[in-house]
Amino acid sequence: MQIKNKPPKALNINSIRQDFPILSQRIDNLPLVYLDNAATTQKPITVIERITEYLSYQNSTVRRGAYALSEKSTSFFNEARQKVAKFINAKQSEEIIFTKGCTEAINLVASSYGYSNFQPNDEIIITAMEHHANIVPWQLICEKTQAKLKIAPINELGELNLLELEKLINPRTRFLSLCHISNVLGTINPIKKIIELGHKHKIPVLIDGSQAAPHELIDVQDLGCDFYAFSGHKVYATTGVGVLYGKLSHLEQMPPYQAGGDMIERVTFEKTTYAAPPSKFEAGTPPIMEVIALGAALDYITNLGLENIKAYEHDLLKYAEEQIQDLIPEARIIGRAKEKASLISFVIDSIHPHDIGTILDQEFNISVRVGHHCAQPLMNLLKVPATARASFAFYNTEEEIDILIKGLKRVIEIFKY
Ligand code: PMP
């Protein structure tokens, strides 16, 4: 088990900011205020340098070359898999599959596990706060297998109703898939409890950890989840790589998701046998540079300490919520869960979120996300077409939140609220 609940240490934010070259640039003489970290995070210099070093001096394929360069590349690649396993405390690195992102990781499970296990009228439970990446893959597999999708409801604070969730479980329930943290509401779900609930009924549980991996200390053995998925680009690495953790007992039973080189044991025209996990699920040349850079990114955040990151971001969230509530009474914050990660979705009546985003960008160089956040069913439930969302990372500061408040005041002034 990972060591938990160490008292948080104060982070030196000024020095951390120096590690992120993008943050020091000015556009039209204004500093960049980057508040779209839930969409993608910026990259520390250690990650950038690792990529440069790899491409300059180490680039070669993995697993195949009988020459020193390729052997070196393979050993960096394998080392990165071990770093990922350690980061989420997986029992062994064979339980870590590299995908091209969290979306592909969920698709892999839905199609491989789903296709071989779901029967007509079986039921799969997801929640009302899911990203499209954790809805549509299940809809597709339901279409193919005639299984049915059930939706666990949320309350007015944006929290899951666990009693209602339990009521959905019945002898036909075959799978439960939910987010650790909502990308719209910021709600941190009590996933350990929910995983226990699933297992009480012998239901495997997948956790979409896209929004949690950058903020929470994750221990898949302690959680007991069957699958855990996240994306590299949200944990300060690049796009093009994601992680699927799966319990080895599941991975061994599951059929391949894609086929090609590297995932086989032996191929003849008559019959092919497959490699053991993780190779069975990694057809083709993998994203080698991206995987190695992911290892460097995990080193960077592990070095800062997830407890320290969480404590700092929690303070930022509180500050931002107070400032918005006190100084922008026209704004309505969407998502008031007691356990919340560092993001704020909000709407301002009669001002479209796209207008908010455009003015913040053009006049203040503030990047926020506006739109439905790939969660249209949740938007329908909340009865809003879109929201603006400010999401914070450990390199953000209270001064940047003050600039956001200034920007929002200007938005309201322009629209003569
Ligand atoms: N789930 C959640 C909760 C997300 O926020 C995202 C990314 N916005 C995804 C899944 C999909 O991640 P990716 O696009 O990196 O595959």
Side-chain angles (χ1 to χ4, degrees):
M1 192 141 101
Q2 284 180 323
I3 302 161
K4 286 195 172 150
N5 303 326
K6 269 197 279 172
K9 268 194 320 215
L11 298 174
N12 182 344
I13 305 304
N14 281 338
S15 141
I16 286 172
R17 285 181 70 83
Q18 314 266 311
D19 293 339
F20 291 80
I22 203 168
L23 299 179
S24 58
Q25 72 180 312
R26 297 176 81 86
I27 301 171
D28 294 335
N29 213 25
L30 289 170
L32 171 68
V33 178
Y34 185 76
L35 302 180
D36 195 16
N37 295 286
T40 199
T41 51
Q42 299 303 343
K43 316 306 169 200
I45 192 74
T46 48
V47 168
I48 298 167
E49 283 174 355
R50 188 67 194 89
I51 292 169
T52 308
E53 189 189 9
Y54 175 76
L55 293 182
S56 306
Y57 306 110
Q58 298 160 348
N59 177 56
S60 53
T61 195
V62 288
R63 305 197 277 230
R64 274 173 284 216
Y67 50 92
L69 204 58
S70 171
E71 276 168 22
K72 221 170 167 185
S73 215
T74 305
S75 100
F76 291 133
F77 185 79
N78 293 341
E79 206 175 273
R81 197 188 301 275
Q82 278 157 11
K83 285 181 187 180
V84 175
K86 192 158 174 233
F87 183 68
I88 58 170
N89 198 30
K91 213 185 266 174
Q92 49 209 345
S93 64
E94 288 76 11
E95 294 179 314
I96 304 300
I97 295 162
F98 290 121
T99 62
K100 75 179 164 65
C102 180
T103 301
E104 193 186 27
I106 299 174
N107 273 278
L108 191 164
V109 178
S111 44
S112 170
Y113 184 93
Y115 200 61
S116 46
N117 285 285
F118 301 163
Q119 305 285 334
N121 297 320
D122 280 352
E123 296 182 1
I124 291 96
I125 301 176
I126 59 170
T127 84
M129 65 171 88
E130 300 308 318
H131 186 281
H132 295 164
N134 199 26
I135 302 174
V136 190
W138 302 109
Q139 288 176 327
L140 276 181
I141 201 66
C142 281
E143 266 174 39
K144 285 192 182 135
T145 60
Q146 309 297 307
K148 296 192 171 102
L149 201 56
K150 299 282 161 177
I151 314 299
I154 56 174
N155 65 20
E156 62 291 347
L157 297 175
E159 295 167 328
L160 269 179
N161 185 329
L162 293 198
L163 286 177
E164 292 298 320
L165 171 60
E166 187 158 18
K167 275 194 214 155
L168 286 180
I169 298 178
N170 67 52
R172 300 247 35 117
T173 310
R174 291 287 173 268
F175 207 88
L176 173 54
S177 188
L178 77 156
C179 60
H180 192 162
I181 294 179
S182 157
N183 65 314
V184 175
L185 306 164
T187 309
I188 306 176
N189 285 318
I191 54 164
K192 192 169 174 185
K193 248 190 187 168
I194 296 171
I195 293 161
E196 280 166 8
L197 178 66
H199 288 178
K200 193 171 94 185
H201 297 274
K202 303 207 171 2
I203 301 164
V205 185
L206 180 147
I207 303 295
D208 168 359
S210 304
Q211 294 298 337
H215 307 291
E216 297 276 318
L217 195 60
I218 294 155
D219 183 336
V220 290
Q221 290 188 68
D222 182 47
L223 289 169
C225 54
D226 297 273
F227 301 97
Y228 196 100
F230 64 96
S231 284
H233 69 102
K234 295 193 204 262
V235 289
Y236 307 92
T238 67
T239 51
V241 64
V243 170
L244 173 67
Y245 157 81
K247 277 187 181 159
L248 200 58
S249 51
H250 288 307
L251 298 179
E252 283 170 345
Q253 298 298 321
M254 285 159 56
Y257 158 68
Q258 290 182 343
D262 276 342
M263 48 74 73
I264 53 89
E265 183 185 55
R266 176 147 183 78
V267 180
T268 65
F269 284 122
E270 290 72 36
K271 185 174 168 57
T272 292
T273 51
Y274 308 121
S279 301
K280 180 165 61 168
F281 299 103
E282 293 180 354
T285 306
I288 307 167
M289 176 205 84
E290 292 83 347
V291 164
I292 293 172
L294 173 60
L298 297 184
D299 283 345
Y300 184 88
I301 52 178
T302 305
N303 199 29
L304 293 181
L306 264 304
E307 314 82 351
N308 308 327
I309 290 173
K310 187 172 167 145
Y312 178 76
E313 291 175 344
H314 181 263
D315 289 348
L316 265 187
L317 174 72
K318 287 291 143 229
Y319 181 74
E321 283 190 335
E322 276 164 24
Q323 293 298 299
I324 291 181
Q325 256 162 232
D326 293 351
L327 301 174
I328 314 289
E330 299 85 349
R332 178 163 63 91
I333 296 177
I334 308 251
R336 310 303 308 236
K338 281 184 253 2
E339 294 294 325
K340 213 179 139 171
S342 58
L343 68 84
I344 302 182
S345 272
F346 59 94
V347 290
I348 301 177
D349 277 344
S350 78
I351 305 179
H352 196 281
H354 282 98
D355 292 328
I356 299 176
T358 305
I359 293 164
L360 291 179
D361 175 49
Q362 288 182 353
E363 295 201 17
F364 296 87
N365 206 14
I366 299 171
S367 312
V368 294
R369 174 83 181 260
V370 294
H372 55 63
H373 313 291
C374 297
Q376 285 177 352
L378 177 59
M379 294 288 132
N380 290 341
L381 204 76
L382 296 168
K383 298 193 172 50
V384 291
T387 76
R389 181 188 71 190
S391 52
F392 311 109
F394 51 75
Y395 43 60
N396 291 125
T397 63
E398 291 189 355
E399 290 72 32
E400 290 180 311
I401 292 167
D402 295 340
I403 298 173
L404 172 67
I405 296 297
K406 211 165 133 194
L408 291 176
K409 285 187 173 159
R410 174 76 182 134
V411 169
I412 289 164
E413 182 188 280
I414 289 174
F415 284 90
K416 298 264 185 296
Y417 201 80

